[in-house]
Amino acid sequence: MDQAQALRRLVSSQDTRQAPGSGASARIITVCSGKGGVGKSNFTLNFALALKAMGRRVLLFDADIGMANIDVLMGVSSRYNLYHLLKREADIGQIIQLGPEALPFIAGGSGMDELFTLSESDLNYFTTQIASIADTMDFILFDTGAGLSKETMKFITSADDCLVVTTPEPTAITDAYALMKVVHNSHPEVSFRLIVNQAGDEREARATSDKIRMAASRFLQLELPFLGYISSDPHVVQAVKKQIPFSVAFPNSIAARDVQRLAQSYLAVDSVETAKVQGIKGFISKWLKRNR
């Protein structure tokens, strides 16, 4: 069975609470960080797996321009990536690969630069292709590059939600706040949720969160929900070396339990699954406006 056939079988066998063609749309989530080295991509991968383990249909999209590494974290060699779709050398079913636990993902890399310079015809083709699979998903997660490039800004301001990953390190805290400040000042409608990664314990995680949330409230008049934290866990480093997601390699580890709890919290917050979403077409429409 090839990847496209496997994907079709996977989608048809998943939870059908929101059937394809019913008008329901995938919720678009952008994951970002103020700086590199905070474990953003690792979080995104394991968060996607946690949502999938809870019966949600998830597509993971590596949108880190130039530094795409989701496939490396999974130990999966991607035959196709976004470039092949944009050049019409492969369709959406072919570029979607299956990672651990049959998680569908799209490798980034060489295709991301072309995404920002598409002709109208090519953009319509891209939109149609992505929309054809988005209708079968509950969530599409975009793992963006670290920091706030103009490309990352477009993803953040076009998504339904933005998850900001930081660590208790002072520079990570400062950079996470700076990212949200820049985005909020130009696009106050953006919805942020904060995640603290590599926390020594719950007290440190909450202290880190409080610093950022108090600054956001005082200086930006921005109420910043704290979604949760992931503990510092040696199993995470071991899993990276094995090129296996830590929630798969060490499902009973502290970090794996933390990311499961984070996924549960996300689904519970503000009835996120029943909230009105713009869908992939709305996301691309916004993204186009940011491109002009």
Side-chain angles (χ1 to χ4, degrees), residues 42-211:
N42 214 352
F43 162 77
T44 307
L45 169 58
N46 286 276
F47 182 67
L49 285 166
L51 290 173
K52 187 176 186 302
M54 296 167 67
R56 277 43 175 199
R57 302 166 297 181
V58 183
L59 173 64
L60 178 57
F61 198 124
D62 195 342
D64 188 345
I65 298 174
M67 296 292 288
N69 62 1
I70 288 290
D71 52 346
V72 176
L73 289 172
M74 292 189 284
V76 177
S77 178
S78 302
R79 179 181 178 185
Y80 297 110
N81 58 35
L82 185 62
Y83 174 86
H84 298 94
L85 176 66
L86 299 180
K87 295 300 182 181
R88 308 195 187 196
E89 296 174 4
D91 62 26
I92 189 68
Q94 291 173 302
I95 73 163
I96 294 180
Q97 311 293 303
L98 296 180
E101 308 299 308
L103 174 70
F105 76 97
I106 295 178
S110 61
M112 292 306 301
D113 288 332
E114 286 83 356
L115 186 57
F116 293 93
T117 57
L118 291 179
S119 67
E120 183 174 354
S121 174
D122 287 340
L123 187 62
N124 288 336
Y125 173 77
F126 169 75
T127 302
T128 300
Q129 288 284 304
I130 295 295
S132 69
I133 196 66
D135 194 38
T136 69
M137 297 294 167
D138 296 312
F139 298 100
I140 298 179
L141 274 68
F142 286 90
D143 179 41
T144 66
L148 189 59
S149 66
K150 63 179 181 180
E151 292 82 11
T152 297
M153 181 76 158
K154 292 166 188 171
F155 279 108
I156 291 173
T157 57
S158 301
D160 293 305
D161 283 325
C162 178
L163 306 185
V164 182
V165 181
T166 187
T167 68
E169 181 186 13
T171 55
I173 293 173
T174 301
D175 290 346
Y177 173 77
L179 179 148
M180 288 183 284
K181 177 182 178 180
V182 172
V183 174
H184 181 73
N185 283 342
S186 58
H187 299 280
E189 75 282 359
V190 171
S191 171
F192 293 107
R193 303 186 194 280
L194 182 66
I195 293 104
V196 177
N197 194 25
Q198 302 171 19
D201 53 28
E202 182 177 358
R203 178 178 296 181
E204 183 177 51
R206 293 197 176 278
T208 300
S209 167
D210 288 346
K211 289 178 183 178

Side-chain angles (χ1 to χ4, degrees), residues 41-43 45-46 49 69-76 99-101 103 234-251 253 255-256:
S41 295
N42 214 352
F43 162 77
L45 169 58
N46 286 276
L49 285 166
N69 62 1
I70 288 290
D71 52 346
V72 176
L73 289 172
M74 292 189 284
V76 177
E101 308 299 308
L103 174 70
H235 291 102
V236 173
V237 176
Q238 294 176 38
V240 170
K241 291 179 179 179
K242 292 175 179 287
Q243 292 185 275
I244 304 173
F246 64 77
S247 58
V248 175
F250 305 103
S253 65

